[in-house]
Amino acid sequence: MEETNNSSEKGFLLLGFSDQPQLERFLFVIILFFYILSLLGNTAIILVSRLDSRLHTPMYFFLSNLSCVDICFTTSVAPQLLVTMNKTDTTMSYGGCVAQLYAAMGLGSSECILLAVMAYDRYAAVCRPLHYTAMMHPRLCASLASVAWLSGLITSLVQCSLTVQLPLCGHRKLDHIVCEVPVLIKLACVDTTFNEAELFVASVVFLIVPVLLILVSYGFITQAVLRIQSAAGRQKAFGTCSSHLVVVVIFYGTIIFMYLQPANSRSKNQGKFVSLFYTIVTPLLNPIIYTLRNKDVKGALRTLILGNAKHKEVVEYLFT
């Protein structure tokens, strides 16, 4: 019993890239830079979606929800990762590991559902333009966003609760950068067939099913776009959907690689870099992709910045 409880008393040793100190120092700078940019970019998306009345549409409502998920997701990982990489003692408390486990699993699952919901929104906009307002009314949008958040919460409670109950028999070394379900399952000193099967089922539900729904949506969208006679109209329709499609490919590609690929088919560093990519890099790519490829967001940002600048000039003039 003493050996079993060892991990909960002393926490875990996150090995990360400790065997490559030069790489670890380089990654520390990159992670810090990306984390700050991610916070700024996603916060900007939320602000312009709220403050600019032209962006009070279902598309930007879901986009602001996606930015909120990304802020919470990367914050559940990046600060602890930076602290761990910046000290010789890489111990992470048991409570901190469990909290990160629940948060990352729940938020990642919510993002999977949210991206599928955004694909449905694009389908309604392109394939049912005359009925779009009726189909995507505010109450339905709020309900779909709530389903995304709640589904992530439920799967996190189920999946992580089953994982933390596994006896670890004193195993404390996590050869990874964050606390994730597949990594903790490997530490268990009992048969984990049920846990692995449950993880596979959850991965299918939150990864494969949303991807299939997204592909079906974009199949209908492609058919509808190709029927448009005007080249400018086709370009506008594809431009409306391309940003979301790029985000989908990047996010689901890395997550599927981590959760559905057999563990023995990849090196230990591959899993670390993949986790690093979808927890740190992907949340930054979302605002970049949507901002650089979206004239509405760029216009709203320009208006917001110029408006604040003019307001500041007026205030300075009045008080000087």
Side-chain angles (χ1 to χ4, degrees):
M1 180 64 70
E2 182 180 353
E3 186 179 3
T4 303
N5 293 333
N6 192 29
S7 297
S8 61
E9 292 175 359
K10 297 183 180 181
F12 296 96
L13 290 173
L14 288 176
L15 299 184
F17 299 97
S18 56
D19 57 337
Q20 306 174 64
Q22 292 183 343
L23 175 62
E24 196 168 50
R25 285 192 291 269
F26 172 75
L27 288 176
F28 176 86
V29 176
I30 296 298
I31 292 169
L32 179 61
F33 180 68
F34 275 40
Y35 177 54
I36 294 173
L37 288 183
S38 178
L39 291 181
L40 294 176
N42 284 292
T43 301
I45 293 292
I46 295 172
L47 287 177
V48 297
S49 298
R50 295 277 295 178
L51 298 178
D52 195 315
S53 58
R54 294 172 299 177
L55 302 185
H56 291 174
T57 63
M59 175 181 174
Y60 295 103
F61 170 75
F62 293 126
L63 180 56
S64 61
N65 272 269
L66 180 65
S67 292
C68 184
V69 170
D70 282 335
I71 289 174
C72 298
F73 187 40
T74 190
T75 300
S76 70
V77 174
Q80 178 61 48
L81 183 57
L82 291 170
V83 170
T84 303
M85 296 177 71
N86 199 36
K87 63 181 183 178
T88 55
D89 183 11
T90 60
T91 301
M92 184 179 185
S93 69
Y94 181 81
C97 181
V98 171
Q100 185 180 82
L101 190 72
Y102 277 93
M105 171 64 75
L107 293 166
S109 301
S110 295
E111 183 157 353
C112 291
I113 302 300
L114 195 56
L115 288 172
V117 170
M118 293 175 72
Y120 174 72
D121 172 68
R122 293 301 83 210
Y123 160 78
V126 176
C127 300
R128 298 287 187 271
L130 299 179
H131 303 90
Y132 178 69
T133 304
M135 291 176 64
M136 302 303 295
H137 55 83
R139 184 177 298 177
L140 176 62
C141 292
S143 299
L144 291 174
S146 299
V147 167
W149 285 93
L150 288 175
S151 60
L153 174 63
I154 292 172
T155 190
S156 176
L157 290 174
V158 174
Q159 182 67 56
C160 297
S161 297
L162 291 173
T163 303
V164 297
Q165 291 178 10
L166 291 172
L168 304 180
C169 300
H171 297 164
R172 298 182 57 231
K173 292 184 179 180
L174 286 178
D175 194 7
H176 206 52
I177 59 172
V178 293
C179 290
E180 288 190 297
V181 171
V183 182
L184 286 177
I185 288 178
K186 290 181 182 179
L187 293 184
C189 56
V190 294
D191 182 24
T192 59
T193 303
F194 174 78
N195 296 80
E196 292 173 359
E198 199 277 334
L199 177 61
F200 179 79
V201 171
S203 299
V204 169
V205 171
F206 284 91
L207 294 177
I208 303 302
V209 172
V211 167
L212 292 177
L213 293 175
I214 291 171
L215 290 177
V216 170
S217 297
Y218 276 100
F220 286 115
I221 289 172
T222 302
Q223 290 179 355
V225 170
L226 292 178
R227 288 196 296 266
I228 299 175
Q229 300 296 325
S230 168
R234 288 197 299 269
Q235 184 177 0
K236 182 178 179 181
F238 276 124
T240 303
C241 303
S242 59
S243 298
H244 175 257
L245 194 57
V246 171
V247 171
V248 165
V249 171
I250 294 173
F251 179 77
Y252 281 106
T254 52
I255 293 285
I256 288 174
F257 180 89
M258 182 67 188
Y259 279 84
L260 290 181
Q261 187 185 24
N264 55 7
S265 65
R266 62 174 183 268
S267 68
K268 61 179 182 179
N269 281 340
Q270 274 184 323
K272 295 176 187 179
F273 280 112
V274 170
S275 295
L276 197 63
F277 190 87
Y278 70 73
T279 56
I280 305 298
V281 180
T282 303
L284 172 62
L285 292 179
N286 292 348
I288 291 178
I289 291 171
Y290 278 106
T291 301
L292 295 180
R293 299 178 59 86
N294 194 302
K295 294 181 180 179
D296 294 335
V297 176
K298 287 191 289 187
L301 282 171
R302 190 180 301 111
T303 302
L304 182 63
I305 294 172
L306 292 177
N308 288 338
K310 291 179 180 178
H311 177 72
K312 182 179 180 180
E313 291 177 0
V314 171
V315 173
E316 289 179 349
Y317 174 77
L318 291 175
F319 288 91
T320 56

